[in-house]
Structures are given as C-alpha cells and as structure tokens.
Amino acid sequence: MTNPSSLLREHALAFRSLHVPGRPLILPNAWDVASARLVEDAGAGAVATTSAGVAWALGAADGERLDRERALAVVAGLAGAVRVPVTADVESGWADDPAGVARTVRAVLAAGAVGVNIEDALHGPGPAPLRPVAEQAARIAAARRAADAAGVPLFVNARVDTLLRGAGGVGDTLERASAYLAAGADGIFVPGAVDPETVRELAGGIDAPLNVMAGPGAPPAGELAALGVARVSVGSGIAQAAHALVRRAARELLGTGTYGAQDAGLDYGTLNTLMGEGR
C-alpha cells in the first residue's frame, strides 16, 4: 500500500513539473467532486478549485465569507475523488495573521492538496484594496515554512491583484511578485492580465512560472503559451456557465413548460458510471 505522505510528495513534485513556460498547465477550475471528476476525465493534468465556485455550491458568497473548515472539506473530497494532483484556492489564507495562514496550509496538506493560491487582496471595508507588500510577504513565508516543515514541496502560487483591483500597473505587479518570490512563493498569478503586451512583459519580468486567468475575450491558451505563460486557469468561469444553464433550464421549464435547455445534457449512464468509478 502506498504511504499517504509519499503519495502527497509525489503529487507535489508532479504538479510542480507541469508549470512550463510556453507549454502551460491548463486548469479548468472545479468546485465539487462531480466537476473535478469531469475535469480529470477531460484530460486535465491537475485539478484546481475555484473559491467562488466552492462558496456558491455551499450557499455562501465569495470573498472569504466561507469558513476554512467547510471549504477544506470540499478540497478533501476532490483530492480523494481524483487521481491527479489537486491545488486549492485558499483566497488570502482564511486567516488574520501569518500563523493562521500556516494553519491553513497544514490543513490543506491534510486534505490532500499539493498547491495553494494565496491572494494579496483585502476583503471588506478598508483604506486599501491590497495588503501591504511586507505583510503579504510574511504570510507567504509562513505558508512556505509550514509546507517545508511537513516535508511536502507545496506549490505556493502568489496571486497579485494589482491589475484586477485597479491598484497598480505592471511595475507595481513586478515589485510585488519579486517580494513574494523572495518570501518563498513558487509561482505568480496575475488575474486581470490578458492583453498580450502586458502578459509578455509580466512573463519576461517574473523569474517564476506565470499564471493568468483566461475566459471569454482573452487570447486562446495557445497564444498565451507563446507569450511565455506557464499556467492558465479560468477561475469561476466554468461554474458560472454551469449555473447559467441551471437558471436557463429552470426558467424555460417554469415559463414555457419546455425542455430545450436540457438537450445538451450529459448522458445519464455516462455520468453515473464516471461518478461511480472512484479514485
């Protein structure tokens, strides 16, 4: 029988190896076991959670309004249901201080995930949309120490929200990226960067794998690869599309009494078999 700690380390190393500039890891983000199994079945090399999708599935709003325990129970369910590595979106760490971020990382590892996204955005009212650089670097350093102490090469993906929040330009983003890498981050995630020139400048200025968030209106993954991107994710985009279908089908059924929106549904037997296969 494989030792769970050994398997976790194997998954962590495998996950790291998938981040290749020019040949990016493509992550169709999942939010529950069913979506994770479908993503794996489609051929994904890893499964990433979306904090928004997980929160919505549990009846909460995004933005650190879902507590750590409930969110990580979902992560554990995903990790136990698929054979590929799992990385967890932990928002800003579900904690007020670095010690709390370290506790979150230990819980992520216990759940079976081998990567985390940690963002520098602040949620709720406050004077600034982002944490000060030094404060965020301390949180990333705490995450790194916690993973190293556990003996697992956790991939720490430091999310920089300057562009997404309108809190700075490329120069500010590069400054934050440098500080986060020095603190122990393994990769840099810059949502809001889809303009080719911006992406090229970020990829050239960051000495680590660059993750961008794509979706409708963004360049295709192949074009992002040519710009030097090492990881492409879609955040809550697929969850939003799935929920749009639910609303469309429900409104059609309740309005006209017809079933057109259900025409593209997965075959019952196919889906039932996939869910019953187990890890």
Side-chain angles (χ1 to χ4, degrees):
M1 179 180 292
T2 303
N3 182 295
S5 296
S6 175
L7 180 60
L8 202 62
R9 285 191 291 272
E10 288 177 15
H11 272 189
L13 291 170
F15 185 61
R16 282 176 170 275
S17 72
L18 296 173
H19 294 77
V20 181
R23 187 162 51 85
L25 169 62
I26 308 296
L27 293 171
N29 300 71
W31 60 96
D32 61 8
V33 168
S35 58
R37 286 234 177 116
L38 288 165
V39 165
E40 180 185 38
D41 186 63
V47 171
T49 67
T50 155
S51 66
V54 170
W56 297 336
L58 295 176
D62 191 27
E64 297 217 320
R65 300 181 192 182
L66 183 66
D67 64 83
R68 178 198 289 142
E69 288 70 25
R70 292 181 70 201
L72 286 177
V74 174
V75 174
L78 267 66
V82 298
R83 297 178 177 85
V84 297
V86 171
T87 182
D89 180 352
V90 300
E91 302 187 76
S92 67
W94 299 319
D96 295 328
D97 56 21
V101 174
R103 286 193 293 274
T104 293
V105 164
R106 288 192 288 270
V108 165
L109 293 173
V114 295
V116 290
N117 283 5
I118 303 177
E119 64 193 51
D120 57 7
L122 283 166
H123 298 284
L130 305 183
R131 294 182 188 277
V133 175
E135 179 183 329
Q136 183 65 7
R139 295 167 71 86
I140 290 169
R144 177 82 281 142
R145 287 193 299 271
D148 290 349
V152 179
L154 180 82
F155 192 98
V156 178
N157 201 31
R159 175 171 145 174
V160 184
D161 275 1
T162 43
L163 302 183
L164 186 66
R165 293 290 195 98
V170 170
D172 303 287
T173 304
L174 293 175
E175 178 186 344
R176 283 179 174 265
S178 179
Y180 300 164
L181 291 172
D186 300 290
I188 299 295
F189 179 24
V190 188
V194 291
D195 171 72
E197 288 307 312
T198 299
V199 173
R200 182 180 288 109
E201 189 172 356
L202 290 172
I206 295 172
D207 189 22
L210 173 64
N211 177 190
V212 299
M213 184 166 67
E223 291 183 19
L224 293 171
L227 296 171
V229 171
R231 175 166 163 175
V232 178
S233 51
V234 296
S236 61
I238 295 176
Q240 289 173 247
H243 295 317
L245 174 60
V246 172
R247 182 167 71 171
R248 187 163 64 251
R251 287 182 172 177
E252 179 189 5
L253 181 60
L254 295 169
T256 64
T258 53
Y259 323 103
Q262 300 175 47
D263 283 344
L266 281 171
D267 174 74
Y268 174 90
T270 299
L271 188 56
N272 203 46
T273 298
L274 179 62
M275 295 307 133
E277 286 178 349
R279 181 170 178 171

